Amino acid sequence: MGNKVLEIINLRKEFRKNIAVDGVSFHLEEGEIVGLIGPNGAGKTTTIKCILGLLRKNSGEVLVDGFSNKVQESKYKLAYIPETPDIYPMLTVWEHLKFMALAYYLKDWEEEAEKILKRFDLLEKRNDLGRDLSKGMKQKVSICCALIHKPDVFLVDEPLVGLDPKAMRELKDAFKGLKQEGKSILVSTHMLDSAEGFCDRVIIMKKGKIITEGTIEELRERTHSDENSSLEDLFLEVTQDEK
Ligand SMILES: Nc1ncnc2c1ncn2[C@@H]1O[C@H](COP(=O)(O)OP(=O)(O)OP(=O)(O)O)[C@@H](O)[C@H]1O
Ligand SMILES: [Mg+2]
């Protein structure tokens, strides 16, 4: 099978007395789209931020292509689309892409940038400042920034929230295109209908732990559910509290 491009080993993150991520281990292979799902507060965003090094983990290891995530090359291999779009208010849409191109030493990026902006209906807004964009447009800019530098692994936190239907479709198509190029995507989402369509397998977290993972067929088998059960059915089944 494919290479392990991302490996998380026994990751633990505490916020004072609150254990947000409690010994989580999983990996992503080349060309895989994996859904990270779980109820609010399960620890999905914290896991993603620890992978990126945006939060300091208490213990555990994060390996990107076999190397620690602290190594500079590892950082170049990761792209992040955050839960809340974090764009620069005083940069234009185009300047955001230019900024990415400079930061990641991209060459001949302009044509690709135009294509990406067109795809997400942002071409007309290319000279608008970040602060003047709608919430969904800001989200699209952060997606375009991740797409332009095409690293090996995409970490995507709730990307579909706030997007219009066309942008949602474009993003899902972009995921499929990246997968075909051998890129890997970890995507956290509550939109289980969509996740069912584009994820190769899912990891279900609750209260900081992984409670189950696998393909939808594997989850059906494990929960003795019939072949018509949706990811939503399976999710509700495995995450319900014991009576
Ligand atoms: N900066 C912080 N300080 C203290 N506690 C935090 C902080 N960030 C997250 N937490 C706590 O860590 C736990 C996991 O939060 P996290 O944001 O990772 O959940 P999530 O799975 O992304 O949830 P959601 O689906 O709502 O986005 C929660 O109990 C939350 O209160
Ligand atoms: Mg979250």
Side-chain angles (χ1 to χ4, degrees):
M1 270 303 283
N3 262 350
K4 279 186 193 174
V5 284
L6 180 70
E7 192 168 12
I8 318 301
I9 307 162
N10 221 356
L11 179 69
R12 193 178 157 88
K13 172 69 188 171
E14 291 171 27
F15 294 105
R16 286 181 218 96
K17 288 218 168 92
N18 182 3
I19 304 173
V21 179
D22 191 3
V24 159
S25 302
F26 64 90
H27 71 269
L28 246 69
E29 288 181 10
E30 219 173 271
E32 242 193 339
I33 305 182
V34 176
L36 184 62
I37 60 179
N40 295 129
K44 306 178 296 293
T45 298
T46 307
T47 300
I48 289 176
K49 287 189 174 170
C50 288
I51 295 172
L52 289 154
L54 296 176
L55 280 176
R56 193 176 302 164
K57 58 188 185 295
N58 290 83
S59 58
E61 271 195 272
V62 176
L63 302 177
V64 185
D65 262 339
F67 294 96
S68 157
N69 65 341
K70 291 189 189 125
V71 178
Q72 188 67 22
E73 289 82 52
S74 295
K75 296 189 192 299
Y76 282 112
K77 289 183 181 159
L78 303 175
Y80 175 42
I81 302 177
E83 206 170 16
T84 38
D86 221 0
I87 69 168
Y88 299 100
M90 297 310 285
L91 288 188
T92 65
V93 169
W94 187 256
E95 284 165 347
H96 275 85
L97 295 176
K98 188 170 180 182
F99 179 79
M100 293 303 287
L102 292 172
Y104 290 96
Y105 305 105
L106 307 178
K107 293 208 179 74
D108 305 323
W109 54 274
E110 289 90 345
E111 202 180 316
E112 182 68 15
E114 279 197 24
K115 252 193 244 167
I116 294 175
L117 290 182
K118 189 155 186 271
R119 233 176 139 169
F120 286 93
D121 286 330
L122 281 178
L123 211 45
E124 284 166 27
K125 296 276 174 186
R126 59 187 286 167
N127 296 320
D128 286 21
L129 291 175
R131 65 165 191 210
D132 297 335
L133 301 174
S134 74
K135 176 170 158 277
M137 286 172 187
K138 287 181 184 153
Q139 179 71 348
K140 288 182 191 179
V141 171
S142 79
I143 292 168
C144 294
C145 284
L147 292 179
I148 188 97
H149 85 111
K150 284 210 178 167
D152 294 341
V153 183
F154 287 74
L155 300 158
V156 195
D157 202 353
E158 278 300 348
L160 300 171
V161 171
L163 293 184
D164 62 40
K166 169 156 190 284
M168 269 194 210
R169 172 64 67 82
E170 288 296 343
L171 183 61
K172 288 186 236 173
D173 288 348
F175 284 168
K176 285 179 198 154
L178 290 167
K179 178 185 162 68
Q180 272 163 10
E181 291 173 34
K183 311 286 185 190
S184 312
I185 305 172
L186 180 69
V187 51
S188 154
T189 183
H190 294 297
M191 303 218 176
L192 301 185
D193 283 352
S194 295
E196 194 172 335
F198 64 72
C199 292
D200 298 305
R201 60 185 169 95
V202 294
I203 296 169
I204 304 185
M205 280 185 80
K206 188 179 171 184
K207 294 184 182 157
K209 291 192 159 88
I210 294 178
I211 52 172
T212 190
E213 64 178 300
T215 62
I216 185 149
E217 289 79 18
E218 285 166 345
L219 298 190
R220 279 187 194 124
E221 262 175 48
R222 216 166 293 151
T223 52
H224 310 290
S225 305
D226 66 63
E227 60 190 31
N228 298 319
S229 10
S230 63
L231 181 57
E232 185 184 73
D233 295 330
L234 298 166
F235 177 85
L236 294 173
E237 164 85 22
V238 299
T239 56
Q240 70 179 341
D241 287 316
E242 297 94 66
K243 296 189 184 95

